Amino acid sequence: MPADYHTHTPLCRHASGDPEEYIDAAVAAGLSAFGLSDHAPVLPEPFDDWRMFEHQLPEYFQLIERARKHAAGRIDVRCGLECDWLPGCESWIADLAARHPWDYLIGSVHYLDDWDFDNPKWLGRWAESDVEALWTHYWQTYAAMARSGLFDIMGHADLIKKFAFRPAGDLRRFYEPAIAAIADSGKAIELNTAGWHKPCAEAYPADAFLALACEAGIPLVISSDAHAPTEVARDFPKAIELAKSCGYAETVLFEQRTRRNEAL
Ligand code: ZN
Ligand code: ZN
Ligand code: FE
Ligand code: FE
C-alpha cells in the first residue's frame, strides 16, 4: 500500500483521535509510511476557526513524537503541514518551512478572496455565485500556487467541485493550464480520496485531470485527508485502481523534502 501523508489532528479543531489510533489504523492498512499534515497556522491570528494556532506548533511536534514512539519498528512516521495558499503568503510559508525539518509541505487552495469556499458553513453562497467565474479564479490561483514552488505536494486539485457546482462542458479547459504549471514546477499532486464522501462524489482530482497529469509526468501520492482514525487509508484500493487506469505505475515517498518512487 502507498503512504498516506495527508492526515489531521485535533489541533485544527475539526478532527478527532489520538496519534496512536492513527498509527494503529495505518499499520492495519499496511501503508508504506504515515504522515501528519495538519492545517498550518496563518497570521495574523485568529485567522479563522479551523487550524492550529502558531503557539501550538510545539504541541503539534509532541503529537508527531507520540506517533513515532507508538509506530517504532512498525511504520515510518513523516511530518508535514497542509498550508493555505493565500495572497502574499510566500514569506510566511518560507518562515514555516524553516522552523522544522519537515518531510513535505502540502499546498492547498481553500480560499478565494476572503471566502473559504469548501466550508459547509458558507454553502448558501454557492447558489448565488457565478460558477464559471469561480472555477476560473480557482484554477488561476491553483496554478499560481504551483508556480510558487513552495510546496512538495499540491493538495486536492479540484476541491472547487466539492459541493458539486461544476461549469457545463469539458472541464479540461480548466485543468490544462494548471497541469502545465504543476509540471513546470516539478512538484507532485495527490489523489485525495475524501472527495468520494462529499457531495461531488468523486475523488480529487477527477479522472480526466489525473490522466492529463500522468501524461505530463507529474508524480503522484494517494491521500485520505483523514480527520479521524477510521478514515486513514480510506478507499486506497479503489484509488490505486483509479490511478492505474489513468496511467500511473508508481507513487512517491517523501523524507526531508526529497522524493523517491515506489511501484504501485
Ligand atoms: Zn480539515
Ligand atoms: Zn518532525
Ligand atoms: Fe484541505
Ligand atoms: Fe486536509
Side-chain angles (χ1 to χ4, degrees):
M1 241 355 134
D4 188 354
Y5 287 137
H6 190 153
T7 71
H8 292 276
T9 82
L11 291 178
C12 69
R13 290 173 280 166
H14 62 279
S16 60
D18 293 324
E20 291 82 3
E21 299 176 274
Y22 282 78
I23 293 300
D24 289 341
V27 170
L31 299 180
S32 3
F34 173 81
L36 294 94
S37 57
D38 208 3
H39 295 288
V42 174
L43 302 182
E45 295 177 326
F47 185 79
D48 53 30
D49 60 359
W50 52 268
R51 66 187 62 255
M52 69 177 88
F53 288 98
E54 184 189 16
H55 76 263
Q56 290 178 306
L57 277 166
E59 225 178 305
Y60 182 51
F61 300 141
Q62 280 168 16
L63 290 178
I64 294 166
E65 278 324 301
R66 269 175 61 186
R68 286 211 164 109
K69 218 168 167 180
H70 191 69
R74 299 194 292 159
I75 188 169
D76 288 332
V77 176
R78 302 293 177 222
C79 82
L81 280 175
E82 181 179 13
C83 303
D84 279 78
W85 177 252
L86 296 160
C89 70
E90 292 88 340
S91 60
W92 173 237
I93 303 297
D95 180 343
L96 279 173
R99 289 187 188 205
H100 192 78
W102 307 106
D103 292 304
Y104 55 88
L105 294 178
I106 300 174
S108 291
V109 176
H110 298 114
Y111 277 92
L112 290 178
D113 300 323
D114 60 344
W115 178 23
D116 43 342
F117 60 84
D118 74 317
N119 191 338
K121 213 161 137 184
W122 320 121
L123 181 51
R125 204 165 147 176
W126 268 102
E128 54 209 45
S129 292
D130 177 342
V131 175
E132 177 85 21
L134 277 177
W135 271 59
T136 301
H137 187 186
Y138 174 82
W139 287 105
Q140 283 167 353
T141 306
Y142 203 88
M145 174 170 78
R147 281 192 298 268
S148 79
L150 288 167
F151 309 103
D152 306 289
I153 301 168
M154 308 291 296
H156 40 56
D158 59 359
L159 180 67
I160 191 73
K161 75 181 174 190
K162 177 171 176 180
F163 298 116
F165 291 92
R166 294 177 179 88
D170 191 333
L171 299 175
R172 284 179 292 192
R173 69 185 189 279
F174 296 100
Y175 305 157
E176 277 159 355
I179 286 168
I182 301 165
D184 275 352
S185 77
K187 306 298 186 181
I189 57 165
E190 64 170 4
L191 198 186
N192 184 313
T193 63
W196 271 315
H197 303 271
K198 300 296 193 275
C200 60
E202 265 179 15
Y204 309 117
D207 48 3
F209 184 107
L210 267 183
L212 289 172
C214 183
E215 220 174 274
I218 298 173
L220 182 75
V221 297
I222 294 177
S223 313
S224 68
D225 211 340
H227 285 69
T230 51
E231 294 169 4
V232 171
R234 183 165 60 166
D235 295 329
F236 268 35
K238 190 170 154 187
I240 291 167
E241 281 323 298
L242 174 58
K244 284 182 175 167
S245 75
C246 292
Y248 279 98
E250 40 193 31
T251 54
V252 288
L253 295 171
F254 286 92
E255 188 173 359
Q256 304 267 296
R257 307 199 71 179
T258 63
R259 192 169 72 205
R260 66 189 166 88
N261 298 336
E262 180 182 52
L264 254 183

